[in-house]
Amino acid sequence: MSSILNKYIIWIVLIITFFPSDGYGQSDKWLEKDYANYIQHLIGGQREYSVESGRVDLLTDEFAYEIEWANKWKESIGQSIWYALQTNKKPAIILLIRSESDYKYFIQLNSALEYANLKNQITVYLFPNDFKESIEASKKEKWKRK
């Protein structure tokens, strides 16, 4: 029980330390792994799941997620497909959006997926946009426990 409590306390400290008061986690100091850890906190799954020739950023019951900075979207396509193949899960990408200008990469990714007839095969999420409900629920839960 104390192990669970310690993990909970660590998460609270991380959230308070690194997330601005609006709760959306858009900190320039965060690394990709920090975002991946926070996303795992929101949706569950296993981080850094080892497969042949790589590691899945986040593995859930349904998806093998590649979490990537928006400007590196090209790398995310191949990795998400490979990880899905290795885990027998659906391929998915979570693009980390740091500014309004990053949306152009989301458009480029979608254009490439559409051109290759992969748009319906690879699920794409934007962080934080597609996680706002989970973030709000997490914030509410945090305040309930205080």
Side-chain angles (χ1 to χ4, degrees):
M1 187 68 160
S2 120
S3 170
I4 294 170
L5 182 59
N6 287 341
K7 287 180 183 177
Y8 176 72
I9 291 170
I10 290 169
W11 273 112
I12 295 296
V13 169
L14 286 172
I15 290 168
I16 291 170
T17 303
F18 292 109
F19 277 66
S21 60
D22 68 5
Y24 291 102
Q26 295 293 83
S27 170
D28 291 336
K29 296 178 184 175
W30 269 42
L31 303 173
E32 180 184 303
K33 70 176 182 158
D34 298 319
Y35 283 99
N37 287 335
Y38 183 65
I39 292 167
Q40 178 195 26
H41 168 72
L42 295 174
I43 66 173
Q46 183 178 348
R47 285 270 298 117
E48 298 291 328
Y49 183 84
S50 291
V51 297
E52 185 176 331
S53 300
R55 282 191 304 248
V56 181
D57 287 329
L58 183 59
L59 186 68
T60 65
D61 291 341
E62 186 175 4
F63 293 104
Y65 290 99
E66 170 59 18
I67 301 172
E68 192 63 78
W69 298 116
N71 65 318
K72 295 171 74 178
W73 66 268
K74 294 177 203 112
E75 297 172 20
S76 67
I77 297 171
Q79 286 177 300
S80 67
I81 293 170
W82 178 250
Y83 298 153
L85 175 67
Q86 292 293 304
T87 59
N88 199 29
K89 305 290 184 185
K90 296 176 187 174
I93 298 167
I94 299 175
L95 279 187
L96 302 173
I97 303 294
R98 292 181 278 190
S99 68
E100 290 291 321
S101 65
D102 280 349
Y103 286 100
K104 68 184 173 200
Y105 301 118
F106 174 63
I107 293 168
Q108 292 170 2
L109 170 60
N110 278 323
S111 297
L113 293 176
E114 193 168 313
Y115 178 80
N117 292 317
L118 293 172
K119 190 165 173 86
N120 294 324
Q121 312 306 318
I122 300 175
T123 302
V124 177
Y125 295 101
L126 299 179
F127 184 86
N129 304 48
D130 293 325
F131 294 84
K132 288 182 180 179
E133 286 182 21
S134 296
I135 292 168
E136 288 302 315
S138 176
K139 284 171 43 179
K140 287 178 184 174
E141 185 63 30
K142 179 179 99 175
W143 294 117
K144 278 183 190 177
R145 292 181 180 164
K146 278 190 167 186

